[in-house]
Structure formats: C-alpha cells, structure tokens
Amino acid sequence: MVADTLSVSPGGSGATLAEYEIHDDSHSQFRVVQRTTSNLSIASISLDDERQLPTIKVLGTGGTIASKGSTGSQTAGYKVDLTIEELVASIPDLTLTANLEYEQVFNVDSKEINSEELLKLYQKVKEGLKEYDGIVITHGTDTMEETAFFLQCAINTDKPIVLCGSMRPSTAISSDGPMNLYQAISIASDPSSRGRGVLVALNDRIGSGFYITKSNANSLDTFKSAGQGYLGNFVNNEVHYYYPPSKPLGLVYFDVDPFDAPEDVVILYGHQGISNRVIELILSGSACSGLVLATMGAGSMADATNDFIATLTRKSQIPVVYSKRSMDGMVPTAAIPRHATNRATGEVFPYTNAIAGGYLNPQKARILVQLCLAQNMDIAAIRKVFQQMYGG
C-alpha cells in the first residue's frame, strides 16, 4: 500500500482531519478520514493497521442532522446548512472505529425527497456496496422510514446499510446528531450487523428499516416498531443485538434501475364524514395511478365510500390498498370489501382491485405500490406481493 498524498485540516475541538489518497489492489482509490488530536499523532498512524479496520462509506442527504438554528434553544424552523464533511469532522474517536469515505449525495430536508432522489441514493448505495464493508446514510427523520423501506425492497445484501438522523439541529443544546452518526458508523462497522437488512439507528436504538416508523413529531425517542420491537441497542461503544441475524419474512426485491415510478400514487386519510367530492377530484381522469387508504380501524371505510371508490375505479382498475391510521396492527384480507354497489344504478359488482395492506402503514404501502407499478404489475400480481410481504 502506498500513501500518495496527505493533507491536514482543522477538525474542531483541537482535532485535525487527515485525508489520505491510497492505492492498493483491493481499492483503486479512496479517501480515508482519520480523526486525530494533534499533528504529531498523524506520523504515528500505520496504514497497515488501518487496513484491519472496516471501511465505511457515509452518504449525506441532509435533514435535521445537517441543520443549523439561530440559537441553542431553537428546535424548529431551522434550515439545512451543514455538509457531510462538516458532520464527520464534528465527531471524535472515529479512528478506532472505521476508515471512512464520505460523499454528499444531496442536501435537502427529507420532505423534499421524491423518486428522483431515491434512485440517486439507491445508485450510490449499490455502487458503494461493491467496495465498502458497510454504508451509513444521514437522512431527515420525517421520511426516513420511507427511504429505508425503499432500499430494503431494492437492495439484497448482507452488508449493513444504516440510516441515521437527528431530532435536534446541530446548533441545539444537547444536539443528538453527532452521537447518532457515531453510533451508526459503529453499528455499520460491527460484524454482528451483517445479514439483518436495512437498519435505522437513533437514540441508542437499532431498528429494522422495514418495520420502523416515526412515532413522535418532537421526541428524541421517536422511531419505534410497536409490534415487532427493536433489533438491538448501543451502549457505551458496544453494539448489542437481541436476536441472531435475520431479515423480514417474505421480502420481495425489485429491479429499480431505472426507477420509473409514478408519483401520483395518492394516500387518502379516512375520517368521519369523508367527502365523495374530494375523492372524485382525486380519481377523476388519469390523475391517479394508485390509491392508498389510511382506514379507520382495520380496513374500515364507510360503505358509501367503498361503493363510490369501487365504482370510480372499476374501469381503470388502479390498485386501491386498504392500510390503517393506527401505528400498529394490520389490515387482513377478510376486512376488504369483496363487492360494491353502483348507487346510481343499483348494480352489485365484484370489487376486484381492492387490496389488503397487511401490516404496512400508508406511506410504506405507497412505496410498495410504486415499486409494483414500475414493474408494470397487474392487480393480481400486486395483491400477491402484498400478501407475501406483509400479510395483506
């Protein structure tokens, strides 16, 4: 191994960042970031020792973890303003954890992410898995569960993919971002993290990206899997898992390159007195490729609503997925209406495009419908995917 170049830059808190351009047989070129406490310690770094550490790729996408507020007490109304390089530079002690390479994929609030950004991130993760021992993604918490679910459905690997973020901006008192990123890198570096699917690491918890959801708009301990539980935790630099390595049952992997998914898969939130006029606006013409219902209870919608949706979609046969408003529980097949009535003519007809969402929440059900439609699946095939993946 030959170190071709060495550059040193301030890293904050009296530390420095040492960047190496290294060439060897297994890595044609990559940048290793080392956190050190002084310039003198750089000379003592052994490149042979570095090779024994896992090499982790950190992909920055923005979010609260990359945001700044105007005061230390501001925890709302902040703006994305930090690069992944600045985030990595803020964390000490990474030298003993992993060799790092980082890249800014994009830098936005996660509410701005759509299919274009998902595909770009997917491509970076897929490329990185060919060379690195694990991938860490910094991401906004608002839609982190959607990205995690998408990546789980798109990438089949035993290497760890770990998403992390924060609930407080970098300028806040007791900001949680640096510790969450440190833990995510440590988790991705740990051999016991292999074969567990896409992971989400926040607030000392390790969860499955397939199951986990954001449960609180403000609390640090927001990501939960009420029915399935956490996979493990992180305490005092130790990664602990509760179960042997495994992935969620019934996974279906999709070819998403290219990912030509329709953005017009709509989520409709069920409630008392829902307006059929609003539903008609959504379903009129060809403005909607798929509909996900956040139903009341386990698939409950008013009979008039079911009849109206079934009548409007009878010809187009777009998928209508019955999900649920509640965070936990499932919508079983038995809860889905089998027949509907055209209330203008009185005709009773089979409601053939209704699909049970199983355990999937509305936002993840929407991602799955998009993936299916991008593969040009018909209703029967989409129903089979839902039944296999999530009990629908």
Side-chain angles (χ1 to χ4, degrees):
M1 178 180 290
V2 179
D4 292 332
T5 62
L6 168 64
S7 62
V8 180
S9 59
S13 303
T16 58
L17 267 173
E19 299 183 357
Y20 299 91
E21 296 294 337
I22 296 176
H23 298 264
D24 65 15
D25 294 337
S26 59
H27 300 85
S28 57
Q29 186 177 25
F30 60 92
R31 181 168 57 181
V32 177
V33 178
Q34 290 288 342
R35 289 288 296 176
T36 60
T37 54
S38 70
N39 291 344
L40 294 177
S41 65
I42 295 175
S44 64
I45 294 175
S46 167
L47 296 184
D48 289 335
D49 290 341
E50 288 169 17
R51 290 191 65 181
Q52 297 175 7
L53 293 175
T55 303
I56 303 299
K57 182 70 173 285
V58 183
L59 301 174
T61 71
T64 298
I65 193 172
S67 297
K68 290 180 181 179
S70 57
T71 67
S73 59
Q74 183 181 5
T75 58
Y78 41 79
K79 300 296 182 182
V80 175
D81 196 38
L82 286 177
T83 66
I84 189 60
E85 182 175 8
E86 292 171 310
L87 284 175
V88 170
S90 70
I91 305 174
D93 300 329
L94 289 177
T95 304
L96 303 177
T97 304
N99 300 315
L100 298 182
E101 181 172 340
Y102 52 84
E103 181 178 354
Q104 194 78 57
V105 183
F106 41 84
N107 205 22
V108 299
D109 190 307
S110 68
K111 68 178 185 291
E112 305 293 343
I113 294 177
N114 55 32
S115 296
E116 181 179 349
E117 281 76 27
L118 284 179
L119 177 59
K120 188 174 182 179
L121 180 59
Y122 158 80
Q123 290 170 336
K124 293 296 183 181
V125 173
K126 189 176 180 181
E127 292 169 6
L129 289 170
K130 297 175 183 177
E131 184 175 357
Y132 303 101
D133 299 304
I135 303 291
V136 170
I137 302 168
T138 61
H139 197 289
T141 59
D142 286 354
T143 66
M144 182 183 292
E145 65 193 85
E146 292 168 70
T147 297
F149 182 80
F150 169 80
L151 291 174
Q152 182 65 84
C153 293
I155 298 176
N156 185 6
T157 181
D158 283 336
K159 291 184 178 181
I161 301 172
V162 186
L163 282 81
C164 71
S166 72
M167 292 297 291
R168 294 174 179 166
S170 63
T171 48
I173 300 169
S174 298
S175 173
D176 53 325
M179 189 59 168
N180 286 340
L181 179 54
Y182 174 77
Q183 291 183 0
I185 292 170
S186 300
I187 291 166
S189 303
D190 196 298
S192 64
S193 298
R194 293 179 61 89
R196 297 181 184 273
V198 176
L199 304 174
V200 171
L202 273 92
N203 200 42
D204 304 334
R205 316 279 193 175
I206 307 172
S208 166
F210 192 75
Y211 293 111
I212 209 160
T213 189
K214 186 174 181 178
S215 65
N216 190 295
N218 314 105
S219 172
L220 300 187
D221 194 22
T222 179
F223 279 92
K224 299 183 184 301
S225 302
Q228 297 79 18
Y230 293 110
L231 301 184
N233 67 354
F234 186 97
V235 178
N236 194 36
N237 289 312
E238 297 177 356
V239 178
H240 296 275
Y241 286 104
Y242 308 136
Y243 318 104
S246 65
K247 297 179 182 179
L249 290 173
L251 283 177
V252 177
Y253 293 100
F254 294 83
D255 181 7
V256 299
D257 197 3
F259 182 44
D260 187 21
E263 295 287 0
D264 56 356
V265 177
V266 177
I267 297 174
L268 181 64
Y269 197 89
H271 55 83
Q272 294 177 344
I274 192 168
S275 170
N276 282 347
R277 289 190 302 165
V278 173
I279 298 173
E280 186 173 13
L281 287 173
I282 293 171
L283 297 177
S284 60
S286 58
C288 181
S289 296
L291 181 65
V292 176
L293 302 174
T295 69
M296 300 163 280
S300 297
M301 296 292 281
D303 291 341
T305 302
N306 286 327
D307 289 341
F308 191 72
I309 292 174
T311 300
L312 285 180
T313 61
R314 185 179 181 184
K315 182 177 180 179
S316 65
Q317 284 293 288
I318 66 168
V320 179
V321 176
Y322 283 68
S323 180
K324 69 275 189 309
R325 300 190 313 190
S326 57
M327 190 178 81
D328 199 15
M330 71 173 295
V331 177
T333 302
I336 302 305
R338 304 286 183 171
H339 294 83
T341 301
N342 184 328
R343 300 208 171 191
T345 66
E347 179 191 5
V348 177
F349 60 92
Y351 189 2
T352 56
N353 55 318
I355 298 171
Y359 291 102
L360 278 178
N361 63 24
Q363 52 269 36
K364 292 186 180 182
R366 177 182 178 271
I367 292 286
L368 188 54
V369 171
Q370 283 185 296
L371 289 166
C372 291
L373 292 177
Q375 301 293 317
N376 297 316
M377 292 184 179
D378 60 15
I379 292 297
I382 296 174
R383 181 179 290 109
K384 184 177 180 180
V385 168
F386 271 85
Q387 287 174 341
Q388 179 174 333
M389 289 188 69
Y390 242 117

